[in-house]
């Protein structure tokens, strides 16, 4: 491939296919819910061969896990505002935007569905939880290095993220900034 071809294809075909497949999964979950579509339907929606999906992800459940993990990584980067309170408020606001955005509820429903779908689903849910804890731990470690009080990542999950997830999953109203900041304030 020459330089000119590379310039036209930033990220390459593989990245483009991955993004199209992820978009197809998210759209199908939003339209039909978890478990109500096949690899063949994802492939058709993404404009790829189903063999491409099997080759890259091995199956639907692995693909679903990858979609959820990728969304968590891409949509909620860990802030560094200089204080634990600022970092947690910023992070909580990012998560609130993520889960109330156009695809947010679908990704939340996917995470819940994966956790209840047998042994592989339990492993997928554990991966999702481990990724959130890894993200949070980086903020908590920085706070500890600055001499701020140490919190446990599970406390942040329980007191900040879980209430937001529940509100979105059960359609319990918007995640107003005052509500999100209040969750952080009560934790601190």
């Amino acid at each position: 491939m020459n330089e000119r071809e590379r310039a036209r294809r930033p990220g390459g075909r593989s990245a483009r296919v991955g993004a199209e497949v992820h978009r197809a999964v998210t759209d199908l979950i939003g339209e039909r819910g978890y478990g109500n579509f096949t690899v063949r339907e994802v492939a058709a929606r993404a404009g790829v061969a189903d063999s491409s999906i099997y080759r890259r992800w091995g199956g639907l459940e692995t693909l679903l896990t990858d979609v959820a993990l990728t969304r968590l990584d891409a949509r909620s980067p860990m802030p560094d505002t200089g204080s634990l309170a600022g970092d947690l408020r910023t992070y909580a606001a990012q998560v609130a935007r993520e889960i109330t955005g156009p695809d947010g509820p679908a990704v939340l429903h996917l995470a819940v569905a994966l956790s209840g779908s047998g042994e592989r689903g339990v492993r997928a849910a554990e991966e999702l939880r481990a990724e959130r804890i890894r993200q949070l731990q980086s903020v908590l470690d920085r706070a500890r290095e600055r001499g701020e009080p140490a919190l446990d990542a599970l406390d942040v999950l329980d007191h900040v993220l879980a209430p937001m997830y529940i509100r979105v999953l059960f359609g319990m109203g918007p995640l107003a900034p005052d509500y999100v900041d209040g969750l952080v304030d009560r934790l601190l």
Side-chain angles (χ1 to χ4, degrees), residues 71-72 74-81 86-108 132 160-161 164-165 167-168 173-181 183:
R71 293 295 300 265
L72 290 176
R75 298 285 172 102
S76 297
M78 299 314 293
D80 188 358
T81 65
D87 289 351
L88 290 178
R89 280 190 190 92
T90 302
Y91 180 67
Q94 289 171 346
V95 170
R97 280 190 302 277
E98 167 193 322
I99 64 177
T100 59
D103 304 330
V107 172
L108 276 183
R132 275 296 197 213
V160 178
L161 299 182
M164 291 192 298
Y165 292 170
R167 280 186 172 234
V168 171
L175 298 178
D178 289 345
Y179 171 76
V180 174
D181 284 346
L183 292 172

Side-chain angles (χ1 to χ4, degrees), residues 107-161:
V107 172
L108 276 183
H109 285 283
L110 169 59
V112 170
L114 283 171
S115 68
S117 64
E119 185 179 321
R120 285 173 34 186
V122 169
R123 281 195 307 266
E126 287 171 357
E127 283 184 57
L128 294 170
R129 186 174 51 252
E131 180 59 22
R132 275 296 197 213
I133 289 171
R134 184 196 62 75
Q135 290 175 331
L136 289 168
Q137 197 60 55
S138 68
V139 166
L140 299 174
D141 289 346
R142 275 197 315 266
R144 195 171 290 113
E145 290 168 7
R146 288 189 300 260
E148 294 182 80
L151 292 175
D152 184 74
L154 287 176
D155 287 336
V156 179
L157 286 175
D158 288 343
H159 298 282
V160 178
L161 299 182

Side-chain angles (χ1 to χ4, degrees), residues 52-68:
S52 294
I53 293 175
Y54 285 113
R55 189 172 37 256
R56 186 166 178 175
W57 287 281
L60 188 58
E61 202 153 285
T62 303
L63 170 59
L64 295 173
T65 302
D66 185 52
V67 168

